[in-house]
């Protein structure tokens, strides 16, 4: 799981400098696909997963998650989440980050920051003996205090030999409730935060999830190992691994 997590993070480290005006989301997908298969000798988990046609998800602006890479050209001011999942030696590593094309609006920057801080507040709840409701409650309280909303229809998940395993990791909830965490579990924390209402809509392509009110949405994701007293984030980028 450590190896898979590191590779997934390495893909995001690689692709960041290519998120520029004029590049298409399909080109970003190709870069990631080639890096995962040719450099990392790993497998891009999304490709053909339940029929998903590409190797990463690219979710731009009001797209909440599962955006399909294609001909869309990025332009200055766009905010894009790139979600990478690799399989290495049978294990999955799953992580996503927000990237800005040129200079973001004040609102887009604040939304991405609140989603990022919310994810970390949730991660900081993780330890053996804690409950999943502690994670969701921490994220929900922070996001709603900042007058943004948490998407309910999609959640984090256990991860390991399978892409999506039990338990579901809700990004809202009540302290002291839900599954008790045990050392050795691996799961993702990946809150989707909307600038407007929490409601989402699935587009006819069967994958792309957008905000119903077309407000901006932001998401970050890490894969995390539960330890006896705390946690270990398996998908830190190189810059965060150093410290
Ligand atoms: N990577 C997403 C997650 O965090 C799942 C993408 S499923 C796909 O769980 F098929 F769209 F790739
Ligand atoms: Co995930
Ligand atoms: Co993911």
């Amino acid at each position: 799981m450590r190896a898979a997590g590191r590779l997934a993070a390495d893909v995001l480290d690689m692709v960041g400098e290519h998120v520029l005006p004029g590049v298409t989301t399909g080109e970003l997908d190709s870069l990631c696909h080639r890096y995962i298969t040719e450099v990392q000798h790993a497998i891009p988990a999304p490709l053909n997963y339940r029929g998903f046609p590409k190797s990463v998800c690219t979710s731009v602006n009001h797209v909440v998650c599962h955006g399909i890479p294609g001909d869309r050209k990025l332009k200055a001011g766009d905010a894009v989440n790139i979600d990478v999942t690799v399989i290495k030696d049978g294990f999955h590593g799953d992580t996503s980050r927000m990237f800005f094309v040129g200079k973001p609006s004040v609102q887009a920057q604040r939304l991405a920051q609140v989603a990022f801080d919310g994810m970390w507040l949730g991660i900081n709840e993780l330890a053996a003996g804690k409950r999943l409701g502690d994670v969701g409650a921490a994220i929900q309280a922070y996001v709603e205090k900042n007058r943004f909303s948490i998407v309910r229809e999609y959640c984090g998940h256990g991860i390991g030999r399978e892409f999506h395993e039990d338990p579901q990791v809700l990004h809202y909830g009540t302290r002291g409730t839900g599954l008790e965490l045990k050392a050795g579990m691996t799961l993702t924390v990946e809150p989707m935060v909307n600038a407007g209402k929490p409601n989402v809509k699935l587009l006819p392509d069967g994958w792309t999830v957008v905000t119903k009110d077309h407000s901006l949405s932001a998401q970050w994701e890490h894969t995390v190992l539960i330890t006896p007293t705390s946690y270990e984030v398996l998908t830190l980028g190189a810059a965060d691994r150093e410290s």
Side-chain angles (χ1 to χ4, degrees):
M1 287 301 289
R2 288 193 179 96
R6 175 178 291 225
L7 292 181
D10 286 347
V11 176
L12 291 175
D13 283 350
M14 178 281 296
V15 79
E17 67 189 75
H18 299 281
V19 180
L20 295 168
V23 75
T24 68
T25 52
E27 287 163 349
L28 296 175
D29 175 75
S30 293
L31 282 167
C32 292
H33 179 90
R34 290 174 52 187
Y35 192 78
I36 293 166
T37 57
E38 294 171 18
V39 178
Q40 299 185 328
H41 304 290
I43 300 166
L47 188 60
N48 301 319
Y49 177 79
R50 301 183 183 203
F52 191 79
K54 295 288 179 177
S55 295
V56 300
C57 297
T58 52
S59 301
V60 182
N61 296 338
H62 72 292
V63 178
V64 172
C65 63
H66 305 166
I68 303 173
D71 293 336
R72 180 181 185 144
K73 268 191 167 61
L74 296 176
K75 59 179 195 311
D78 283 343
V80 56
N81 172 282
I82 303 179
D83 192 338
V84 171
T85 312
V86 305
I87 309 170
K88 185 67 174 181
D89 299 331
F91 291 95
H92 291 70
D94 189 8
T95 183
S96 80
R97 298 181 200 158
M98 297 300 297
F99 298 91
F100 296 121
V101 185
K103 202 174 125 64
S105 68
V106 170
Q107 191 199 39
Q109 195 154 27
R110 199 171 84 78
L111 182 69
Q113 186 68 47
V114 167
F116 180 82
D117 293 339
M119 173 191 68
W120 275 108
L121 284 168
I123 290 172
N124 278 321
E125 294 290 330
L126 296 171
K130 297 293 292 285
R131 285 166 172 264
L132 279 177
D134 301 336
V135 176
I139 298 170
Q140 182 180 18
Y142 177 74
V143 166
E144 292 179 353
K145 187 181 75 187
N146 281 279
R147 296 164 159 276
F148 294 140
S149 65
I150 292 280
V151 171
R152 311 296 162 116
E153 287 86 345
Y154 301 88
C155 56
H157 48 92
I159 182 168
R161 289 193 181 274
E162 301 292 332
F163 195 161
H164 296 110
E165 300 181 356
D166 286 342
Q168 293 193 29
V169 180
L170 304 185
H171 303 113
Y172 58 93
T174 308
R175 281 198 178 272
T177 70
L179 183 81
E180 182 180 324
L181 299 173
K182 302 262 187 280
M185 289 178 170
T186 44
L187 48 80
T188 74
V189 179
E190 49 177 305
M192 285 139 275
V193 177
N194 295 350
K197 295 212 156 63
N199 311 69
V200 301
K201 188 174 77 181
L202 181 65
L203 294 191
D205 64 23
W207 283 103
T208 310
V209 179
V210 301
T211 54
K212 211 168 190 178
D213 61 9
H214 280 74
S215 65
L216 289 177
S217 189
Q219 179 179 30
W220 300 77
E221 175 177 25
H222 274 308
T223 297
V224 187
L225 166 70
I226 310 300
T227 65
T229 57
S230 176
Y231 60 82
E232 180 181 333
V233 178
L234 305 182
T235 44
L236 293 176
D240 296 322
R241 290 198 295 263
E242 285 158 14
S243 54

